[in-house]
Amino acid sequence: MTTPAGSGTGFGSVSWWGLSPAVDLQAESPPVDPDSQAETEHETPELNVLLLGSVDGRHLLRTLARAALWPRRRFHFYVLENNLEAVARHILIFSLALEDPEKMGLQERSETFLEVWGNALLRPPVAAFVRAQAGRLAHLVPEPDRLAEQLPWLSLGALKFRERDALEAVFRFWAGGEKGPEAFPMSRLWDSRLRQYLGSRYDARHGVSDWDLHMKLHDRGARVIHTREFRRWRDTGVAFELRDSSAYHVPNRTLASGRLLSHRGERVAARGYWGDIATGPFVAFGIEADDETLLRTSNGQPVKTACEITEHNVAELFREMAAWGHPRAAEGDPEQVQGGAEGSSEPAAPAPEPFTVHFLSLDSAHTLHHKSCYMGQFQLLYVACGMVHLLSAELGACVAPGGRLIVELAQFLVDLRQEQLQAFSSRVGELAQAAGFAPQSGGKPSDTFARFYKAGDSAPGHEDPAVESGTPPPEVLAPPLEATDPPSEDRTQPLESGNPPSEPLKLTSESQASLLEASVPPTGSQAPKSENQTVPPETKYPIPDI
């Protein structure tokens, strides 16, 4: 069996990382209207952003890190995912980014983030950190008062009670509720996915990975990804090898998710790895940089690899984020921060405005417009390519007049052919128009994402989406530092203690199908595999006892 290009099986059914560069959401949003703020001049303007499928929080982190370049605004991020494991990773990543610098230094935080975010296997110290944080979060989720006290930036009020219970179960699994590596044998699961994906090409997998890298990713703008690092990730799932390779042997439980499979004629719930095995986590932070020297080439070859660029970008991101977690520990200029207290002539740096991350119920995309608190509420709507099927007129009604829409395109999904990418882009334009948006004019074309503005308002012709975001003036939009996630096909409840849930897990093939059907109707061998299809025993492991 050979998996044909265009099948879409390589990006899996669950998204764990972005497949295009992170974007500053404030640069993409409309500027503050002075007239609308005239009566509230003593209040800080708010920016309300709705994100569908943002997956790992990279957009939010970059927006907060670059907030100092813009006029002060209070951020409200409304995040809607299609699985609770992604919500749990959001919370874990933000907890790590806002960790007290006195407890965890900048380098340690950056390396821990990279391993938890993009590696299938962890070092024992990082795995211990995940267990400790997951145990803490498992105790906070069912106690709203303690949660608001210790994590004031987090709001779970929109989640249903059963979703909160399932979220707690996810954290307990991460904390080691099921002991031993056999609870989640990542190496075996990764190899099983790879064998199923490549089929008869498995023995030539190095040649396949080299072809995908040089003929697809490099041609689409990701030339800094090195052959050695991409091949290592394809073989083992370890993208960021910051220590000796022998140090990575503990399964990364944050990449586990549940799914219904067919086993001996019955539908059973199983936990496994259903994420990306084709593109990798290099694109989100590793192919663009504010420091242009990182992108230099010598004899036509990049001097830095995607891993090195990612390490630099994440370290700078966390350095700028220090002001949000603990203003006194901001590393930019400690003397300036403490100057007011010491009687120095330097004024104390003002603390940034607080922000809130609101997590919405998994199936609420079609019902948000029924609530008056969301109607016309958002200045910016972000839709990942795996969630395009949710774009509708009802969802568009939640965007304020003059608001913006960003839709991630499938540029870095190596399974899709060029004609499918073009057809998908055209389909995105049709869906956006039907939802009440019009293409944004004035910027150079982008293959990474599409921009629109809310129709019925004057077109923002003076704004240029292609302006360099390194020094973003308030009246323009930033360049395509966009990030997305691969399409997800199933919305599953996480498993607790290895047992199937008491009610059938909700599955939807719309997420993965939205990408393929929007581009070209799959026929024959191009059609994505059905949820009910029996898969190899290794992929189904472990199957709980009924």
Side-chain angles (χ1 to χ4, degrees):
M1 178 188 70
T2 298
T3 302
S7 67
T9 57
F11 49 76
S13 60
V14 179
S15 307
W16 296 127
W17 44 70
L19 298 183
S20 56
V23 63
D24 180 4
L25 298 175
Q26 191 166 194
E28 300 292 344
S29 65
V32 178
D33 184 0
D35 295 334
S36 65
Q37 297 297 330
E39 67 278 4
T40 58
E41 57 181 1
H42 299 295
E43 297 182 6
T44 304
E46 293 187 349
L47 176 61
N48 299 309
V49 182
L50 174 61
L51 302 100
L52 274 62
S54 61
V55 182
D56 55 10
R58 62 199 177 280
H59 305 310
L60 283 61
L61 292 175
R62 181 169 176 83
T63 301
L64 296 175
R66 299 179 66 83
L69 300 175
W70 300 88
R72 290 169 64 86
R73 299 178 81 172
R74 180 185 176 92
F75 300 108
H76 288 277
F77 302 110
Y78 293 80
V79 180
L80 193 154
E81 301 291 347
N82 63 3
N83 65 89
L84 288 171
E85 291 86 356
V87 174
R89 274 174 61 97
H90 267 286
I91 299 174
L92 179 64
I93 286 173
F94 261 88
S95 300
L96 175 60
L98 300 175
E99 186 70 49
D100 190 342
E102 296 181 358
K103 297 180 180 179
M104 180 178 286
L106 177 63
Q107 181 178 354
E108 185 181 1
R109 267 186 298 151
S110 302
E111 293 180 349
T112 301
F113 168 83
L114 291 177
E115 294 188 24
V116 173
W117 171 64
N119 282 0
L121 302 174
L122 305 176
R123 291 180 293 123
V126 176
F129 170 81
V130 172
R131 289 194 298 269
Q133 283 292 92
R136 170 175 170 252
L137 294 171
H139 286 91
L140 290 179
V141 167
E143 300 186 25
D145 293 337
R146 288 185 58 199
L147 182 68
E149 177 184 353
Q150 298 189 28
L151 302 178
W153 51 267
L154 176 62
S155 174
L156 301 179
L159 294 182
K160 300 175 182 178
F161 286 109
R162 61 181 176 84
E163 291 174 333
R164 297 186 204 181
D165 293 341
L167 185 62
E168 179 186 355
V170 172
F171 286 127
R172 293 197 180 280
F173 173 70
W174 292 1
E178 299 175 28
K179 304 294 183 181
E182 288 303 309
F184 185 59
M186 186 64 188
S187 295
R188 181 160 65 172
L189 293 171
W190 184 276
D191 185 69
S192 177
R193 277 289 313 280
L194 201 60
R195 288 176 181 272
Q196 184 187 20
Y197 172 60
L198 296 178
S200 60
R201 299 180 298 168
Y202 178 81
D203 291 336
R205 56 190 178 277
H206 290 170
V208 175
S209 66
D210 291 347
W211 174 271
D212 287 343
L213 176 63
H214 292 281
M215 304 304 293
K216 296 181 180 179
L217 290 177
H218 282 185
D219 287 348
R220 298 178 187 180
R223 292 188 57 84
V224 295
I225 302 179
H226 195 274
T227 302
R228 184 175 60 254
E229 61 190 359
F230 187 73
R231 184 182 294 178
R232 180 187 64 227
W233 174 78
R234 276 279 185 101
D235 286 345
T236 65
V238 177
F240 306 104
E241 194 172 270
L242 309 177
R243 298 291 188 275
D244 184 80
S245 59
S246 62
Y248 296 91
H249 56 81
V250 182
N252 184 357
R253 293 195 176 197
T254 71
L255 298 180
S257 61
R259 189 178 179 184
L260 285 180
L261 298 174
S262 175
H263 178 63
R264 296 177 181 175
E266 297 183 359
R267 304 270 287 179
V268 295
R271 180 184 288 119
Y273 177 76
W274 317 112
D276 172 37
I277 58 172
T279 302
F282 307 104
V283 177
F285 295 106
I287 66 173
E288 294 183 0
D290 295 330
D291 185 358
E292 294 295 334
T293 61
L294 296 173
L295 305 177
R296 287 190 302 108
T297 59
S298 177
N299 296 325
Q301 297 297 321
V303 298
K304 298 291 184 180
T305 66
C307 288
E308 293 171 332
I309 296 174
T310 299
E311 290 180 47
H312 175 273
N313 286 341
V314 170
E316 289 300 311
L317 187 76
F318 282 3
R319 188 192 308 276
E320 295 168 343
M321 281 287 296
W324 291 91
H326 301 273
R328 292 177 55 190
E331 300 183 23
D333 188 0
E335 291 79 14
Q336 182 178 358
V337 176
Q338 300 177 0
E342 298 174 358
S344 169
S345 58
E346 291 288 339
E353 285 294 322
F355 68 94
T356 308
V357 182
H358 308 262
F359 288 101
L360 304 179
S361 181
L362 302 185
D363 55 356
S364 61
H366 298 295
T367 59
L368 289 179
H369 65 285
H370 292 312
K371 299 183 179 180
S372 59
C373 60
Y374 295 132
M375 288 293 292
Q377 172 76 5
F378 305 105
Q379 290 89 20
L380 180 64
L381 170 61
Y382 167 82
V383 182
C385 64
M387 308 284 267
V388 168
H389 63 282
L390 298 178
L391 188 57
S392 62
E394 292 77 14
L395 192 62
C398 298
V399 179
R404 308 291 189 266
L405 166 67
I406 307 176
V407 180
E408 185 265 336
L409 302 179
Q411 176 72 0
F412 294 104
L413 296 181
V414 299
D415 278 346
L416 301 187
R417 300 184 179 92
Q418 193 61 39
E419 58 269 20
Q420 289 178 302
L421 298 179
Q422 295 172 358
F424 177 72
S425 180
S426 300
R427 181 58 177 159
V428 165
E430 296 173 2
L431 292 174
Q433 184 177 5
F437 295 89
Q440 202 166 291
S441 59
K444 66 179 182 180
S446 171
D447 294 328
T448 310
F449 55 91
R451 290 186 175 94
F452 305 87
Y453 71 96
K454 184 68 175 292
D457 205 68
S458 58
H462 66 284
E463 296 177 327
D464 183 1
V467 174
E468 181 61 39
S469 66
T471 56
E475 70 274 11
V476 298
L477 299 179
L481 292 177
E482 155 74 3
T484 73
D485 57 286
S488 304
E489 67 179 339
D490 51 346
R491 182 182 299 123
T492 62
Q493 305 262 348
L495 310 182
E496 183 174 5
S497 303
N499 297 322
S502 57
E503 57 180 357
L505 302 185
K506 293 184 178 181
L507 295 177
T508 172
S509 60
E510 293 178 345
S511 299
Q512 181 171 343
S514 66
L515 178 60
L516 298 176
E517 292 175 358
S519 55
V520 288
T523 59
S525 62
Q526 294 182 4
K529 298 185 186 304
S530 169
E531 276 289 322
N532 300 330
Q533 179 175 352
T534 303
V535 296
E538 298 89 345
T539 309
K540 295 186 292 186
Y541 185 90
I543 297 177
D545 296 330
I546 304 298

